[in-house]
Amino acid sequence: MLTPENARRLLTLDSAGGLIAGTLVIALHQPLSQWEDLPPALLLFTGTANILYGLYSGRLAYLARCDQPLHSTALRFLVAANAFWTLVCLILTALFWPRATAWGIVHLVGEGIYVGVLAWVESRVFFAK
């Protein structure tokens, strides 16, 4: 059963993942670029997207903590954003497959799997019938 506490926990985990990953990728984009053979601009872009997403899910976690209603539209947007980012990660993997190192591919595929699983879990948790 979805309780406000469970919603807050899931949204906090979601937010922390985006904020931590985004911050690390932006802070380390130069060495990551060399290690993964991915363009620095791509890493800055993905890091920024992760931070923006983390802020959005963090806002929802804050609302859940303050016992504010979580609107279905906001939660659907969250799930859709995760699903969309999964697709973006797959496209980036295909585009950079020929040039990226194994670490670069693991980075892109791993992020895609992480957000894909989040989309699936959140859709089950927030929209279970």
mmCIF file of all heavy atoms in Angstrom, residues 3-5 8 60-70:
data_model
loop_
_atom_site.group_PDB
_atom_site.id
_atom_site.type_symbol
_atom_site.label_atom_id
_atom_site.label_comp_id
_atom_site.label_asym_id
_atom_site.label_seq_id
_atom_site.Cartn_x
_atom_site.Cartn_y
_atom_site.Cartn_z
ATOM 1 N N THR A 3 1.826 4.544 1.192
ATOM 2 C CA THR A 3 1.637 5.475 2.296
ATOM 3 C C THR A 3 2.453 6.727 1.977
ATOM 4 O O THR A 3 3.389 6.676 1.170
ATOM 5 C CB THR A 3 2.125 4.875 3.626
ATOM 6 O OG1 THR A 3 3.550 4.686 3.542
ATOM 7 C CG2 THR A 3 1.434 3.550 3.921
ATOM 8 N N PRO A 4 2.129 7.847 2.611
ATOM 9 C CA PRO A 4 2.941 9.045 2.393
ATOM 10 C C PRO A 4 4.415 8.811 2.722
ATOM 11 O O PRO A 4 5.301 9.317 2.040
ATOM 12 C CB PRO A 4 2.314 10.084 3.323
ATOM 13 C CG PRO A 4 0.891 9.645 3.473
ATOM 14 C CD PRO A 4 0.943 8.133 3.429
ATOM 15 N N GLU A 5 4.682 7.997 3.742
ATOM 16 C CA GLU A 5 6.070 7.709 4.122
ATOM 17 C C GLU A 5 6.784 6.904 3.035
ATOM 18 O O GLU A 5 7.935 7.182 2.702
ATOM 19 C CB GLU A 5 6.103 6.950 5.457
ATOM 20 C CG GLU A 5 7.497 6.625 5.933
ATOM 21 C CD GLU A 5 8.347 7.845 6.266
ATOM 22 O OE1 GLU A 5 7.798 8.943 6.478
ATOM 23 O OE2 GLU A 5 9.585 7.694 6.293
ATOM 24 N N ARG A 8 7.469 9.214 0.128
ATOM 25 C CA ARG A 8 8.584 10.110 0.444
ATOM 26 C C ARG A 8 9.909 9.373 0.320
ATOM 27 O O ARG A 8 10.858 9.893 -0.242
ATOM 28 C CB ARG A 8 8.423 10.695 1.852
ATOM 29 C CG ARG A 8 9.513 11.714 2.187
ATOM 30 C CD ARG A 8 9.525 12.100 3.652
ATOM 31 N NE ARG A 8 9.794 11.006 4.541
ATOM 32 C CZ ARG A 8 11.003 10.442 4.744
ATOM 33 N NH1 ARG A 8 12.048 10.883 4.104
ATOM 34 N NH2 ARG A 8 11.145 9.443 5.591
ATOM 35 N N LEU A 60 8.973 16.792 -5.125
ATOM 36 C CA LEU A 60 7.861 15.886 -4.831
ATOM 37 C C LEU A 60 8.068 15.195 -3.484
ATOM 38 O O LEU A 60 7.115 15.016 -2.721
ATOM 39 C CB LEU A 60 7.698 14.854 -5.946
ATOM 40 C CG LEU A 60 7.275 15.411 -7.311
ATOM 41 C CD1 LEU A 60 7.187 14.284 -8.331
ATOM 42 C CD2 LEU A 60 5.961 16.162 -7.223
ATOM 43 N N ALA A 61 9.305 14.816 -3.169
ATOM 44 C CA ALA A 61 9.598 14.204 -1.865
ATOM 45 C C ALA A 61 9.290 15.184 -0.735
ATOM 46 O O ALA A 61 8.748 14.804 0.306
ATOM 47 C CB ALA A 61 11.065 13.764 -1.804
ATOM 48 N N TYR A 62 9.645 16.446 -0.947
ATOM 49 C CA TYR A 62 9.366 17.481 0.049
ATOM 50 C C TYR A 62 7.853 17.627 0.262
ATOM 51 O O TYR A 62 7.383 17.716 1.400
ATOM 52 C CB TYR A 62 9.979 18.808 -0.390
ATOM 53 C CG TYR A 62 9.622 19.956 0.518
ATOM 54 C CD1 TYR A 62 10.263 20.110 1.748
ATOM 55 C CD2 TYR A 62 8.644 20.870 0.158
ATOM 56 C CE1 TYR A 62 9.934 21.157 2.592
ATOM 57 C CE2 TYR A 62 8.305 21.913 0.998
ATOM 58 C CZ TYR A 62 8.948 22.057 2.216
ATOM 59 O OH TYR A 62 8.608 23.090 3.050
ATOM 60 N N LEU A 63 7.096 17.642 -0.834
ATOM 61 C CA LEU A 63 5.638 17.740 -0.710
ATOM 62 C C LEU A 63 5.079 16.548 0.058
ATOM 63 O O LEU A 63 4.193 16.710 0.898
ATOM 64 C CB LEU A 63 4.995 17.836 -2.094
ATOM 65 C CG LEU A 63 5.247 19.124 -2.872
ATOM 66 C CD1 LEU A 63 4.676 19.027 -4.280
ATOM 67 C CD2 LEU A 63 4.674 20.333 -2.132
ATOM 68 N N ALA A 64 5.605 15.354 -0.227
ATOM 69 C CA ALA A 64 5.141 14.160 0.493
ATOM 70 C C ALA A 64 5.482 14.269 1.977
ATOM 71 O O ALA A 64 4.684 13.889 2.838
ATOM 72 C CB ALA A 64 5.769 12.906 -0.108
ATOM 73 N N ARG A 65 6.655 14.813 2.275
ATOM 74 C CA ARG A 65 7.063 14.961 3.678
ATOM 75 C C ARG A 65 6.154 15.947 4.413
ATOM 76 O O ARG A 65 5.883 15.789 5.609
ATOM 77 C CB ARG A 65 8.506 15.439 3.738
ATOM 78 C CG ARG A 65 9.010 15.602 5.142
ATOM 79 C CD ARG A 65 10.421 16.144 5.161
ATOM 80 N NE ARG A 65 10.783 16.473 6.503
ATOM 81 C CZ ARG A 65 11.834 15.983 7.125
ATOM 82 N NH1 ARG A 65 12.640 15.160 6.504
ATOM 83 N NH2 ARG A 65 12.095 16.327 8.358
ATOM 84 N N CYS A 66 5.705 16.964 3.712
ATOM 85 C CA CYS A 66 4.830 17.985 4.315
ATOM 86 C C CYS A 66 3.362 17.596 4.224
ATOM 87 O O CYS A 66 2.481 18.435 4.425
ATOM 88 C CB CYS A 66 5.058 19.331 3.631
ATOM 89 S SG CYS A 66 6.706 19.985 3.892
ATOM 90 N N ASP A 67 3.099 16.338 3.902
ATOM 91 C CA ASP A 67 1.729 15.820 3.795
ATOM 92 C C ASP A 67 0.892 16.568 2.758
ATOM 93 O O ASP A 67 -0.322 16.690 2.914
ATOM 94 C CB ASP A 67 1.034 15.809 5.157
ATOM 95 C CG ASP A 67 1.678 14.836 6.118
ATOM 96 O OD1 ASP A 67 2.154 13.777 5.660
ATOM 97 O OD2 ASP A 67 1.718 15.146 7.328
ATOM 98 N N GLN A 68 1.553 17.070 1.735
ATOM 99 C CA GLN A 68 0.841 17.695 0.619
ATOM 100 C C GLN A 68 0.431 16.594 -0.356
ATOM 101 O O GLN A 68 1.145 15.605 -0.514
ATOM 102 C CB GLN A 68 1.736 18.710 -0.092
ATOM 103 C CG GLN A 68 2.173 19.865 0.769
ATOM 104 C CD GLN A 68 1.008 20.756 1.141
ATOM 105 O OE1 GLN A 68 0.183 21.087 0.323
ATOM 106 N NE2 GLN A 68 0.945 21.125 2.404
ATOM 107 N N PRO A 69 -0.675 16.774 -1.033
ATOM 108 C CA PRO A 69 -1.083 15.739 -1.995
ATOM 109 C C PRO A 69 -0.114 15.693 -3.180
ATOM 110 O O PRO A 69 0.359 16.723 -3.651
ATOM 111 C CB PRO A 69 -2.478 16.191 -2.441
ATOM 112 C CG PRO A 69 -2.541 17.638 -2.138
ATOM 113 C CD PRO A 69 -1.626 17.877 -0.969
ATOM 114 N N LEU A 70 0.203 14.476 -3.604
ATOM 115 C CA LEU A 70 1.028 14.290 -4.793
ATOM 116 C C LEU A 70 0.085 14.072 -5.963
ATOM 117 O O LEU A 70 -0.601 13.056 -6.039
ATOM 118 C CB LEU A 70 1.955 13.095 -4.610
ATOM 119 C CG LEU A 70 2.992 13.224 -3.505
ATOM 120 C CD1 LEU A 70 3.744 11.917 -3.324
ATOM 121 C CD2 LEU A 70 3.953 14.361 -3.805
#
